[in-house]
Amino acid sequence: MVKMYQRKIVLLGDPGVGKTSLVRRYIFDTFQKDYMTTLGVNFYVRTFEYPDVHVKLLIWDIAGQKSRRQIGLRYLQGASGALLTYDLTNPKTFANLPGWYEDLCKANKDSVPIVLVGTKLDLAQRHNTPLAFDMRFLGDTPLSKANVIFTSAKTDTNVDAAFNLIVQEIISGLLPLPDLSPRIHKEKSAKILFFVKKDDAWSQVAVNHIEKVGKKFALEVETIDAEKDPTIAKAYGVTALPTILIGGRQLVGIIQIAHLENILQQMLEKTERASTT
Ligand code: GDP
Ligand code: MG
């Protein structure tokens, strides 16, 4: 019997940061579309099918340009994940993230997994603006421990990766087994493979973090330029950059070092368990 699940993901963030552009790029560019408009909300649907589990993800996007005040709790209630978006060229939209997060918490009893998504990376890079990302704005909240990913809907940079971060988190909780990639399932590796785009400034930041964390866990880190060696990336099933691969598990777009440490810890435990059973 196939188990069916439906889960809700909400897009949050100030008007104009690029929420609709992001979700449209994600849905229409890469997968079958299923789209309807209702009063106030656009829904986008994507279904993930595994042998025993089907997961239907409903992505909710605020229709039009609404501010925080205009968004009702209904929009936020029952969310299994949230993308908190802000415009990399507009620091004010970053400073407003704690407010959005507060609303999300108010509307949900349990804590909702989140990913911070900086948008319009192409603009930020074109104008050479320092990326609007100052941790002090986030204070000592779960926001400061969340994953952060920089995207451009325009150039299709990291859009899949951004959604994958939240989708993986939701789906992995529903699958009976860790979602090991079957092709490399058997590889017992104490090595981190890290796929990057070499000229990407963000990959550079991530490389530094990963090398530090690798040292801490006494893991060897091998960095692979996925654009230079596309066949290697393909063989490992890497579709978005940067991607970290350890013991057959994939992790896309991690930047926060504390979070990375946690995840590596979990991954290593799972890898260990898998190899002893
Ligand atoms: P929303 O109000 O958060 O849904 O934002 P929209 O998706 O409607 O985008 C607001 C404006 O930002 C539009 O003019 C978009 O074309 C523009 N925009 C969105 N994403 C990007 C991006 O990645 N790069 C650039 N250069 N512009 C973008
Ligand atoms: Mg919109």
Side-chain angles (χ1 to χ4, degrees):
M1 259 276 280
V2 175
K3 280 207 187 101
M4 316 271 263
Y5 295 97
Q6 186 165 300
R7 290 292 183 271
K8 169 178 175 179
I9 295 174
V10 288
L11 283 166
L12 299 181
D14 288 356
V17 297
K19 298 180 294 296
T20 302
S21 306
L22 199 73
V23 67
R24 293 192 152 229
R25 169 63 88 181
Y26 176 62
I27 295 286
F28 296 143
D29 220 20
T30 46
F31 267 76
Q32 248 179 311
K33 52 196 173 218
D34 189 352
Y35 175 65
M36 56 185 153
T37 307
T38 63
L39 275 183
V41 182
N42 297 327
F43 302 97
Y44 300 79
V45 181
R46 191 153 160 178
T47 306
F48 292 78
E49 298 188 351
Y50 298 87
D52 302 315
V53 177
H54 291 186
V55 187
K56 186 171 176 183
L57 294 177
L58 290 178
I59 304 167
W60 291 41
D61 178 32
I62 302 161
Q65 305 263 306
K66 293 206 195 92
S67 65
R68 242 183 93 199
R69 253 179 299 117
Q70 296 168 285
I71 310 291
L73 279 190
R74 201 178 62 92
Y75 178 79
L76 302 166
Q77 273 161 359
S80 294
L83 296 181
L84 287 154
T85 61
Y86 71 100
D87 181 342
L88 287 166
T89 65
N90 181 352
K92 219 175 76 208
T93 62
F94 184 74
N96 285 338
L97 289 180
W100 284 105
Y101 185 68
E102 200 185 303
D103 291 353
L104 182 71
C105 293
K106 245 185 255 162
N108 292 280
K109 265 197 286 95
D110 300 323
S111 73
V112 180
I114 53 168
V115 172
L116 307 190
V117 181
T119 61
K120 308 188 191 178
L121 182 61
D122 62 290
L123 266 189
Q125 287 176 330
R126 183 141 41 91
H127 301 306
N128 251 327
T129 5
L131 296 178
F133 180 68
D134 184 340
M135 295 291 289
R136 279 170 303 176
F137 281 118
L138 304 180
D140 189 20
T141 63
L143 283 177
S144 65
K145 299 190 182 65
N147 288 316
V148 184
I149 186 159
F150 299 162
T151 64
S152 167
K154 187 172 178 186
T155 59
D156 196 5
T157 306
N158 275 340
V159 175
D160 269 8
F163 279 95
N164 280 346
L165 281 175
I166 203 79
V167 168
Q168 271 184 6
E169 180 143 359
I170 294 172
I171 286 184
S172 64
L174 300 174
L175 293 179
L177 292 168
D179 49 338
L180 297 171
S181 158
R183 234 173 313 176
I184 42 175
H185 183 83
K186 295 236 176 317
E187 184 177 341
K188 275 181 259 158
S189 162
K191 189 172 173 184
I192 302 175
L193 295 182
F194 183 45
F195 294 89
V196 293
K197 258 185 237 173
K198 205 172 136 259
D199 298 330
D200 174 20
W202 189 61
S203 288
Q204 288 309 316
V205 177
V207 168
N208 287 338
H209 284 179
I210 282 156
E211 279 175 354
K212 259 191 230 150
V213 175
K215 275 205 192 94
K216 184 169 164 191
F217 287 95
L219 295 167
E220 190 188 329
V221 179
E222 186 178 341
T223 307
I224 297 156
D225 185 344
E227 287 193 325
K228 222 178 88 208
D229 297 311
T231 47
I232 301 182
K234 209 168 154 215
Y236 279 97
V238 171
T239 55
L241 301 173
T243 285
I244 300 161
L245 224 139
I246 175 168
R249 290 176 60 83
Q250 267 198 34
L251 190 70
V252 182
I254 295 300
I255 188 165
Q256 292 262 49
I257 191 155
H259 198 76
L260 182 65
E261 285 191 25
N262 277 339
I263 293 194
L264 275 183
Q265 188 78 53
Q266 287 171 17
M267 283 175 140
L268 285 169
E269 280 165 12
K270 281 199 177 124
T271 308
E272 212 117 275
R273 243 182 287 142
S275 64
T276 51
T277 51

